[in-house]
């Protein structure tokens, strides 16, 4: 069995629903940590959860008031993808390869997460773009044709010889849609359309964002998946 198939098999055993690979060998070493490849694992959010967010005026606020955020599906799946990334890293290291998990816990431990500006050297979204999975919407989230923005992701950097192919950047398919802009309760979204190289700050003010998830759930691509 190839290492590609072994990684896919192990990731799916751990609960991943999406496994993809990207070539990061052309990136600066401060981003790639001198690893040539990246593995992306993902889990989709359920249609029922998206319906709840869509139909509840202040879903996140309500969960906070009820002290139920520890039961929120989005948060739980973010933790699960992080756990899968940590486990895949251990799996690859046991096979004799180098690997680095980009889980939140690991990035914090090695000092790679800028808490002040909410940034990491190499984001999961950037790797998803290199893997050809989708584009960045006006809400600064990954949008995929299959699931919209309803995906929790984490990534692993590695030197394991996983197969990658050069994939062109997917151009934005948001068109004239501004639903995420109109649904944002704090005005954090600027409304600018994304192109490769557009700085995050031109799309969204992360310091105004309350992570209400409205833009994620109400995106037409997400709604198409939900229905």
């Amino acid at each position: 069995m190839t290492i590609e198939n072994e990684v896919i098999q192990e990731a799916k055993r751990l609960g991943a629903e999406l496994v993809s690979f990207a070539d990061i060998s052309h990136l600066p070493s401060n981003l790639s940590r001198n690893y040539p490849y990246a593995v992306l694992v993902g889990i989709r959010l359920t249609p029922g959860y998206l319906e709840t967010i869509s139909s509840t005026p202040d879903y996140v606020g309500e969960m906070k008031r009820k002290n139920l955020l520890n039961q929120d599906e989005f948060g739980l799946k973010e933790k699960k993808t992080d756990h899968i990334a940590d486990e895949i890293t251990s799996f690859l290291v046991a096979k004799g390869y180098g690997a680095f998990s980009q889980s939140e816990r690991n990035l914090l431990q090695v000092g790679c997460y800028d808490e002040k500006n909410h940034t990491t050297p190499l984001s999961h979204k950037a790797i998803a773009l290199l893997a050809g999975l989708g584009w960045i919407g006006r809400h600064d989230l990954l949008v995929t044709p299959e699931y919209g923005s309803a995906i929790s992701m984490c990534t692993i950097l590695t030197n394991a010889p996983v197969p990658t192919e050069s994939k062109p950047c997917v151009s934005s398919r948001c068109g004239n849609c501004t639903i995420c802009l109109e649904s944002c309760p704090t005005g954090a979204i600027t409304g600018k359309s994304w192109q490769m190289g557009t700085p995050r700050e031109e799309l969204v003010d992360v310091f105004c964002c309350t992570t209400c998830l409205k833009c994620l759930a109400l995106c037409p691509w997400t709604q198409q998946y939900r229905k």
Side-chain angles (χ1 to χ4, degrees), residues 7 12 20 37 53 64 70 73 108 118 122 146 151-152 160 176 179 195 208:
V7 168
K12 291 193 172 181
S20 193
Y37 310 114
I53 298 172
K64 286 179 180 177
N70 62 338
E73 181 179 318
L108 283 169
H118 306 296
L122 181 60
E146 297 86 359
I151 302 177
S152 293
N176 296 321
I179 287 176
Q195 297 179 28
C208 285

Side-chain angles (χ1 to χ4, degrees), residues 23-32 34-35 122 126-127 130:
D23 183 348
I24 59 171
S25 60
H26 60 289
L27 297 179
S29 60
N30 64 310
L31 302 183
S32 68
N34 291 313
Y35 287 110
L122 181 60
I127 291 173
L130 293 174

Side-chain angles (χ1 to χ4, degrees), residues 8-22:
I8 291 173
Q9 184 179 75
E10 181 66 8
K12 291 193 172 181
R13 183 188 71 79
L14 291 165
E17 296 174 313
L18 170 70
V19 185
S20 193
F21 305 95

Side-chain angles (χ1 to χ4, degrees), residues 9-205:
Q9 184 179 75
E10 181 66 8
K12 291 193 172 181
R13 183 188 71 79
L14 291 165
E17 296 174 313
L18 170 70
V19 185
S20 193
F21 305 95
D23 183 348
I24 59 171
S25 60
H26 60 289
L27 297 179
S29 60
N30 64 310
L31 302 183
S32 68
R33 302 181 69 88
N34 291 313
Y35 287 110
Y37 310 114
V39 182
L40 182 147
V41 293
I43 305 174
R44 59 194 174 87
L45 301 175
T46 62
Y49 176 66
L50 297 168
E51 170 60 29
T52 298
I53 298 172
S54 302
S55 59
T56 307
D58 185 20
Y59 169 76
V60 171
E62 192 171 307
M63 293 291 282
K64 286 179 180 177
R65 287 188 291 274
K66 294 179 179 178
N67 199 29
L68 294 174
L69 278 181
N70 62 338
Q71 299 177 30
D72 175 62
E73 181 179 318
F74 180 79
L76 291 172
K77 289 191 171 176
E78 289 281 282
K79 290 178 181 177
K80 186 171 182 178
T81 49
D82 275 14
H83 172 72
I84 293 171
D86 288 342
E87 290 295 308
I88 292 296
T89 297
S90 297
F91 175 81
L92 288 169
V93 169
K95 292 280 183 180
Y97 300 109
F100 177 79
S101 170
Q102 293 211 118
S103 66
E104 183 177 340
R105 178 184 63 84
N106 200 41
L107 290 173
L108 283 169
Q109 282 185 344
V110 300
C112 282
Y113 180 68
D114 184 340
E115 292 187 81
K116 179 181 178 181
N117 297 302
H118 306 296
T119 59
T120 58
L122 181 60
S123 69
H124 307 320
K125 288 181 294 185
I127 291 173
L129 291 175
L130 293 174
L133 296 180
W135 66 96
I136 304 299
R138 284 187 170 86
H139 51 4
D140 193 42
L141 299 176
L142 178 73
V143 185
T144 68
E146 297 86 359
Y147 307 116
S149 295
I151 302 177
S152 293
M153 299 179 294
C154 196
T155 50
I156 305 104
L157 314 183
T158 185
N159 60 9
V162 293
T164 59
E165 54 184 281
S166 180
K167 297 179 180 178
C169 174
V170 179
S171 299
S172 173
R173 299 181 190 173
C174 294
N176 296 321
C177 177
T178 58
I179 287 176
C180 62
L181 172 66
E182 295 159 11
S183 65
C184 179
T186 63
I189 299 172
T190 68
K192 181 170 181 175
S193 182
W194 170 83
Q195 297 179 28
M196 183 62 82
T198 302
R200 179 190 69 178
E201 293 72 23
E202 293 185 16
L203 298 175
V204 64
D205 182 346

